[in-house]
Amino acid sequence: MTTHNKAQTDLIHAPRKAPQYIETIQPPLFRASTIIFKTTAHLFDRHWTDAYDYSYGTHGTPTTFTLGDNIARIEGGNYCLLAPSGLSAINLVNSTFLSTGDEVWVADNIYGPNLEHLNNLQDRYGISVKIYNPVDAASFQPTEKAKLIWLEAAGSVTLEFPDLKNLVKKAQQANVLTALDNTWGAGLAFNAFDFSDEHLAVDITVHALTKYPSGGGDILMGSVVTRDQQLHHKLYRMHAIQGISVSGDDTAQIQRSLAHMSLRYEQQAQSTRVLLEWLKQQPQFSQVLHPSSPDSAGHSFWSDICTTGKSAGLVSVIFKANYDLTAVRQFCDNLKLFKLGFSWGGPVSLAMLYDLKQMRSLGNTHLQQGLLVRFCIGLEHPEDLIQDIQNALKQLD
Ligand SMILES: *Cc1c(COP(=O)(O)O)cnc(C)c1O
């Protein structure tokens, strides 16, 4: 016989509940797998297409819906689904809309892991992956099998800004869904759901919340935003089937950082412009890539779409061809404030070394030969960052 330990149950069913009606700066945080139904009526009346389906943790809580609503609003859409990383959000779009026999188009400067994911689908499910040149809309030639085109503005690493207007127009004419990786613009540089006088819009945006929304370099998350309810429902269904969910704690942390996202974005963009002007003067580089630079491919598309002159805190340099891998590695290793690492949007400036020869499949006549270093500008003082690069370059001579 066990003795009746009253505390065992009392500790679980504590009589005191948190007060419901106090106002705080940050919304209350919900962590849930189980969500308790008041009655069987609530259980049977629930429906997955409800805007806020409080039935199980994977489907969402007030915490995840709050962040999702905010991301949708910032990006100009109506609906948002959260995923545990940006890449997982990309995967959600691909797995919702692509089936065997379909054709998908990706820009030559697409975020690398997205291409890797699509190549994997191509091999296993017979999905045809086609590459287009983002600054030449004529290179996008959808057949009747085309289902989806991925856009990215500006593109990864080499930062060409795409001919969004003509690519989207062409996709609409061919009945091809448009998905934009919106991580660079973060919903701040331009509105992907209305980016021209003609009210042109993409169908879907994906955002690596890991970058600017998190702002800390410490949390992974992604989002998929749509305006159209039918598209949202298709994505939502796949989201549920695949068990894609995010932690309440991570979500609350990103929600907390959203308050100052636009200030951080502006500051990092401004510091980047200061660095850009200095980098252009340095004899070691044959090219400095940034959409605001008239000699960067797609500059005129950037001016046309990002009318407020906004851009993310990213700038890439191509070293002159006489700097070999050993030299450019030495340069990266010499940096002190810039840390060597992937990602961006956090407080710490980052550098990453790329060999373009292994990354692009079309001819890149607009790019010089040479090794590329991408700088992600953090929140340090730009003059200190310049000093850091200057020191690292000096040690090469
Ligand atoms: C970082 C990034 C992603 C992926 O986000 P993760 O959260 O790191 O998976 C996708 N697209 C772009 C453009 C990115 O920079």
Side-chain angles (χ1 to χ4, degrees), residues 53-330:
D53 169 27
Y54 299 126
S55 58
Y56 191 63
T58 47
H59 303 181
T61 65
T63 300
T64 62
F65 288 125
T66 298
L67 178 65
D69 286 352
N70 278 322
I71 298 295
R73 192 166 43 82
I74 292 164
E75 295 197 33
N78 294 328
Y79 307 96
C80 177
L81 293 166
L82 299 176
S85 68
L87 187 54
S88 162
I90 287 170
N91 168 38
L92 175 60
V93 172
N94 287 335
S95 57
T96 302
F97 297 108
L98 295 176
S99 307
T100 299
D102 288 345
E103 177 181 287
V104 56
W105 285 82
V106 293
D108 201 23
N109 58 6
I110 195 82
Y111 175 66
N114 187 358
L115 180 60
E116 235 174 282
H117 180 241
L118 288 168
N119 281 336
N120 182 282
L121 293 180
Q122 173 164 265
D123 296 344
R124 292 165 57 221
Y125 300 116
I127 288 161
S128 162
V129 181
K130 296 281 171 70
I131 313 273
Y132 67 92
N133 176 353
V135 295
D136 175 17
S139 65
F140 166 48
Q141 305 213 322
T143 72
E144 70 281 3
K145 290 180 179 169
K147 264 287 165 54
L148 175 70
I149 178 173
W150 276 101
L151 304 151
E152 205 176 313
S156 281
V157 182
T158 41
L159 301 168
E160 296 89 348
F161 203 92
D163 184 359
L164 268 189
K165 282 186 183 174
N166 285 313
L167 288 164
V168 168
K169 271 187 215 165
K170 233 174 142 171
Q172 287 176 346
Q173 281 157 11
N175 224 359
V176 173
L177 276 176
T178 49
L180 173 86
D181 186 323
N182 209 12
T183 307
W184 181 93
L188 300 171
F190 64 99
N191 181 351
F193 290 98
D194 187 357
F195 56 82
S196 78
D197 306 336
E198 305 143 86
H199 300 294
L200 278 173
V202 302
D203 296 308
I204 302 159
T205 58
V206 162
H207 190 166
L209 307 183
T210 307
K211 310 289 166 60
Y212 284 107
S214 152
D218 55 350
I219 299 176
L220 293 153
M221 202 174 290
S223 61
V224 181
V225 168
T226 45
R227 257 195 187 172
D228 179 82
Q229 193 182 45
Q230 272 188 323
L231 283 182
H232 169 67
H233 281 167
K234 282 184 183 164
L235 288 157
Y236 192 12
R237 194 86 191 111
M238 187 58 76
H239 186 267
I241 288 170
Q242 294 188 339
I244 296 172
S245 65
V246 296
S247 103
D249 293 85
D250 286 353
T251 309
Q253 298 246 38
I254 293 182
Q255 171 62 34
R256 191 172 183 275
S257 295
L258 273 193
H260 33 80
M261 176 171 78
S262 78
L263 295 176
R264 289 183 280 106
Y265 192 91
E266 299 270 352
Q267 180 58 51
Q268 290 178 335
Q270 203 180 317
S271 300
T272 305
R273 296 291 191 98
V274 174
L275 259 88
L276 173 66
E277 291 315 314
W278 180 83
L279 289 167
K280 283 179 180 173
Q281 311 302 319
Q282 305 315 304
Q284 292 88 348
F285 309 131
S286 58
Q287 224 171 352
V288 182
L289 306 170
H290 186 277
S292 77
S293 237
D295 52 353
S296 275
H299 166 72
S300 61
F301 304 128
W302 171 80
S303 317
D304 191 30
I305 303 277
C306 300
T307 46
T308 55
K310 287 196 181 148
S311 53
L314 295 169
V315 57
S316 294
V317 295
I318 299 184
F319 273 83
K320 285 188 175 155
N322 56 310
Y323 290 93
D324 61 5
L325 183 61
T326 311
V328 179
R329 280 179 60 172
Q330 188 61 57

